[in-house]
Amino acid sequence: MESHITYKNTTMFSRETYIQRRARLVADMKYHGETGLLLFLGNDEAGMNYTDNTYPYRQDSTFLYFFGIDSAGLSATVDIDEGISTVFGDELTIDDIVWMGSQPTIREKCDKAGVDRTEPLSMLKDHVQRALNKGRMVHFLPAYRPEHTLKIFDLTGLPEQAQSENVSIPFVKSVVNMRNYKSPEEIDQIEEAVDISVKMHQAMMRMVRPGISEAEVAAAVTEIALREGSGLSFPVIATVNGQTLHNHYHGNTLQEGDLFLLDAGAENSMHYAGDLSSTAPVSKHFTQQQRMIYDMALHAHMTGVDALRPGVAFREIHLKVAETIAADLKSIGLVTGDPAEVAHEGAYAIFFPCGLGHMMGLDVHDMENLGEVWVGYDGHPKSATFGFKSLRLARPLEPGFVLTIEPGIYFIPELIDLWRNQGKFKNFLNYDEIEKFKGFGGLRNEEDYLITPDGKRRLGHLYKPMTADEVEAMKQ
Ligand code: GLY
Ligand code: MN
């Protein structure tokens, strides 16, 4: 019987997709000599201020990738040796149905993902304990929610510290090695999310003017994400203080002469992310100085885009972009010395303290919970130096990677003061000239790209205005 559906009717890929993904994962683990059980912890509802007042529900991305089921209260195992997948969960009680509506049974949901077996949640511990008692390996991924830590403790007896030391690196590597390469059906989903994100940015460009608040812009772009997808892929950054990289304060009123920075993306109904940034003048036009710095940031952006192709290390592209920023700022006297050296030594980071971009997929920073070293560095160590330490992606690019390009130019007063007082990079930075930009703020553009066998393709079917002229035209 069709119920009065009050739950979200999620879309899934075909059951073959999930069957094949799990089979590939098992094959990869076996290939690396691994045996035992793979444990997948789905996410639960999380109370915001009391149990029944929950945060918007978000399923774990790895659970979504291998099982596709967008419901709370589930966990799963895949037996590497027997190739059997089992989902553990409890059916709704009559109280659940009275308050939240009916849902398909767990068996019905699992059929859509080709899952072999279903069991009540209480059986998960038995299942794991039986494996451990036989001396079998139980592979688990890093916990990023407190309840993951509690569950792993309950299932395996390992306290928190021992859990981090016993995360299954082969499991992490196999998952990353699959999720890093997006399939054509995933690309379609990402492009849908990017298209919604473009509409959010176009709306921002149309609406920013003196007298409205940052909160109004944040609300307008959030409305688009909610109307057209499942919501936001991360909290909106809508600010007249673009120099603060992740600025979630929305209390300012826009004033004539301000620069407005929006960094916002939608998550589509299948939970794939879009992630775009734009900068627009609050007045009808950029000031001459704003346009000059905007054009430099765009030059850096296009330098990054032009360099995208398989085989090129993203770290090299980051350095090339840093060098471009240094050369352009040298042309107006803020930088001295050789721009390539400014980039390699890390002096550029006073203007561009973050990374050029990151992988994107089911998570906006894809699989950050599994470790950037595995996702973006292929196991190689990450630099701890200011600037380079925020580069989330460094490895050579390969077809199927989806990533963002988001260089910016930022004037952060506290950083300028600190470095000046420390005399840091005095040979590369002209602090007297930099001082003059202390009140400028910061700006960036951001787009999402797929690496293709012969280069790259910008994702999305809609165009986000990029040049200063295009942005101004959008405001008319
Ligand atoms: N768009 C937010 C970030 O990439 O960190
Ligand atoms: Mn980003």
Side-chain angles (χ1 to χ4, degrees), residues 234 246 263 274-277 355-360 364-365 392 404-406 444 446-448:
F234 59 96
H246 280 180
D263 184 345
D275 182 11
L276 303 173
S277 299
L356 177 62
H358 51 83
M359 296 284 208
M360 188 183 82
V364 63
H365 292 174
R392 303 176 193 283
T404 68
I405 290 284
E406 49 178 311
R444 72 173 162 278
E446 178 177 15
E447 296 178 305
D448 306 322

Side-chain angles (χ1 to χ4, degrees), residues 325-398:
I325 291 174
D328 283 352
L329 292 176
K330 184 177 174 175
S331 73
I332 58 165
L334 274 59
V335 166
T336 54
D338 174 16
E341 256 187 85
V342 173
H344 279 89
E345 296 297 318
Y348 74 92
I350 193 169
F351 310 111
F352 175 34
C354 51
L356 177 62
H358 51 83
M359 296 284 208
M360 188 183 82
L362 280 165
D363 309 300
V364 63
H365 292 174
D366 212 21
M367 296 171 275
E368 199 167 288
N369 60 312
L370 300 183
E372 283 173 351
V373 160
W374 301 112
V375 179
Y377 284 71
D378 201 20
H380 298 290
K382 242 181 113 178
S383 166
T385 310
F386 186 79
F388 293 113
K389 73 176 176 190
S390 303
L391 181 60
R392 303 176 193 283
L393 173 60
R395 65 195 288 173
L397 299 178
E398 295 182 55

Side-chain angles (χ1 to χ4, degrees), residues 9 12 40 60 98 159 168 193 240 257 310 339 389 406 430:
N9 196 6
M12 286 169 69
F40 299 83
D60 174 75
V98 165
S168 170
V240 291
K389 73 176 176 190
E406 49 178 311
N430 184 345

Side-chain angles (χ1 to χ4, degrees), residues 40-184:
F40 299 83
L41 295 178
N43 280 340
D44 293 335
E45 296 282 7
M48 220 165 18
N49 46 352
Y50 53 91
T51 309
D52 285 348
N53 199 24
T54 54
Y55 287 105
Y57 178 69
R58 180 54 156 81
Q59 180 58 287
D60 174 75
S61 296
T62 298
F63 194 92
L64 275 178
Y65 186 84
F66 289 102
F67 295 89
I69 307 169
D70 191 14
S71 310
L74 304 176
S75 289
T77 57
V78 171
D79 191 313
I80 300 173
D81 311 300
E82 294 176 6
I84 297 206
S85 54
T86 310
V87 164
F88 297 83
D90 295 331
E91 299 297 350
L92 298 187
T93 64
I94 188 64
D95 284 308
D96 295 329
I97 293 169
V98 165
W99 287 92
M100 293 176 302
S102 193
Q103 287 204 18
T105 63
I106 290 172
R107 185 61 261 169
E108 285 165 340
K109 291 178 185 177
C110 284
D111 282 343
K112 292 203 163 123
V115 175
D116 301 310
R117 292 186 187 156
T118 59
E119 299 265 8
L121 202 50
S122 58
M123 294 308 291
L124 176 61
K125 190 166 176 180
D126 276 18
H127 195 66
V128 169
Q129 288 285 323
R130 236 180 300 132
L132 289 172
N133 290 340
K134 284 189 198 154
R136 301 181 72 207
M137 188 72 181
V138 174
H139 300 264
F140 56 85
L141 300 170
Y144 60 92
R145 288 189 178 195
E147 73 259 26
H148 297 161
T149 309
L150 292 172
K151 283 183 187 178
I152 296 170
F153 176 63
D154 182 48
L155 295 172
T156 66
L158 288 173
E160 188 172 1
Q161 179 63 26
Q163 288 181 23
S164 8
E165 287 159 8
N166 285 281
V167 160
S168 170
I169 301 301
F171 190 11
V172 167
K173 283 164 79 171
S174 291
V175 171
V176 167
N177 197 36
M178 291 180 66
R179 286 183 54 194
N180 259 350
Y181 303 87
K182 272 62 180 181
S183 66

Side-chain angles (χ1 to χ4, degrees), residues 304-333:
V305 169
D306 286 347
L308 292 174
R309 68 180 63 85
V312 181
F314 199 70
R315 185 173 196 279
E316 294 309 314
I317 305 179
H318 174 86
L319 281 169
K320 202 168 184 168
V321 167
E323 182 180 334
T324 305
I325 291 174
D328 283 352
L329 292 176
K330 184 177 174 175
S331 73
I332 58 165

